[in-house]
Amino acid sequence: MRLLLVEDDNHVAAALSAVLARHGFTVVHARNGEEALHSVLPAKNEGKPPFGVILLDLGLPDQDGYQVCGKIRKLTSTPVIMVTARSDVRSRIHGLNIGADDYVVKPYDTGELLARIHAVSRRTAAGDDVGPGPEEQALRLGAVTVELPTRRVSVDGETVQLTRKEFDLLALLAQRPGVVFRREQIISEVWRTSWEGTGRTLEVHVASLRSKLRMPSLIETVRGIGYRLVAPVSGVAAGD
């Protein structure tokens, strides 16, 4: 697999590139945002295998990594893993909102990073479909509509932009509203892995969905078990 490493520290990049090479990756190193964007241009990669994953540091010398991620998303759907020292939840949510597929905080264990790289690449190779059920169906949950074939989500008719994994998570829950999904089950079906470290990523995606849909109570946390989508009450009220 070809992998794009966006890292301004040459010593860090050299050490990580050596580790990745030992695990079968061909690493292309970009030292700043401009080099990263140039590297993903279709013309630059003509005749070469596409990048399987992009590892993106946020502390770049020429422009903020968030901006770079947004620009990358306009050029390619290649999975992006943000690798950064910014550990607060707001930074994680912001990164996922603008198109990152995962978020790893420095310092990290190399085994953890490799597991996340393989996880996002497996999800991409497996395609975007999640869960059973008729693909032609649009799921309507009160003001929220989830269109499975087009992967479009709207609230009161207004389209809401979701990342790939945010949509997969919402679609899974929406196909069985009211049913409690265990955390392990969600991670298995959406992230296609049983690796325990994905749990924090799940929490961040749930928080991001609540924020984007502007409906914090739509996805309920069932303490110690997992999550469920709360089906809106419909029908004629008693006494009418």
Side-chain angles (χ1 to χ4, degrees):
M1 181 197 300
R2 287 179 77 225
L3 184 149
L4 177 61
L5 172 61
V6 188
E7 170 62 63
D8 66 316
D9 189 318
N10 288 331
H11 295 292
V12 172
L16 182 55
S17 295
V19 172
L20 293 170
R22 288 199 298 271
H23 285 82
F25 294 96
T26 300
V27 181
V28 175
H29 178 207
R31 295 166 180 80
N32 54 52
E34 184 178 356
E35 287 186 14
L37 295 171
H38 182 68
S39 297
V40 299
L41 289 174
K44 177 70 174 179
N45 292 282
E46 187 173 354
K48 301 177 183 177
F51 289 114
V53 174
I54 298 172
L55 297 182
L56 176 62
D57 182 33
L58 295 182
L60 301 175
D62 58 339
Q63 51 188 306
D64 188 80
Y66 290 130
Q67 295 177 329
V68 176
C69 182
K71 293 175 182 178
I72 287 175
R73 265 297 152 260
K74 295 178 181 179
L75 296 171
T76 177
S77 60
T78 301
V80 175
I81 300 178
M82 289 184 172
V83 184
T84 175
R86 304 178 193 178
S87 60
D88 60 287
V89 173
R90 286 188 178 182
S91 294
R92 293 171 182 260
I93 292 175
H94 183 52
L96 295 169
N97 281 346
I98 62 176
D101 294 84
D102 207 343
Y103 194 106
V104 178
V105 177
K106 297 178 180 178
Y108 52 80
D109 179 81
T110 303
E112 172 186 349
L113 180 62
L114 288 168
R116 289 180 182 264
I117 291 172
H118 287 301
V120 299
S121 61
R122 281 198 306 271
R123 298 197 297 265
T124 303
D128 289 326
D129 295 337
V130 295
E135 289 294 319
E136 300 75 20
Q137 186 177 352
L139 307 174
R140 293 181 174 83
L141 305 148
V144 179
T145 300
V146 181
E147 299 176 13
L148 298 179
T150 60
R151 299 179 63 84
R152 178 178 180 269
V153 174
S154 60
V155 178
D156 289 326
E158 180 180 348
T159 299
V160 178
Q161 297 296 331
L162 301 181
T163 67
R164 180 166 55 243
K165 290 299 112 185
E166 287 169 353
F167 179 89
D168 291 348
L169 172 58
L170 179 61
L172 177 67
L173 298 177
Q175 289 180 76
R176 299 178 68 189
V179 174
V180 178
F181 285 81
R182 291 178 292 104
R183 294 167 60 89
E184 296 82 0
Q185 180 183 0
I186 296 172
I187 291 170
S188 174
E189 296 196 31
V190 175
W191 276 266
R192 302 181 188 275
T193 179
S194 60
W195 186 58
E196 294 181 356
T198 313
R200 182 57 177 162
T201 298
L202 170 58
E203 294 174 3
V204 173
H205 277 71
V206 170
S208 181
L209 272 176
R210 288 168 173 163
S211 174
K212 285 187 175 182
L213 297 174
R214 302 187 300 277
M215 302 176 69
S217 62
L218 182 66
I219 301 176
E220 179 183 359
T221 301
V222 181
R223 190 174 299 277
I225 301 177
Y227 299 93
R228 68 179 169 191
L229 191 142
V230 179
V233 177
S234 59
V236 179
D240 285 353

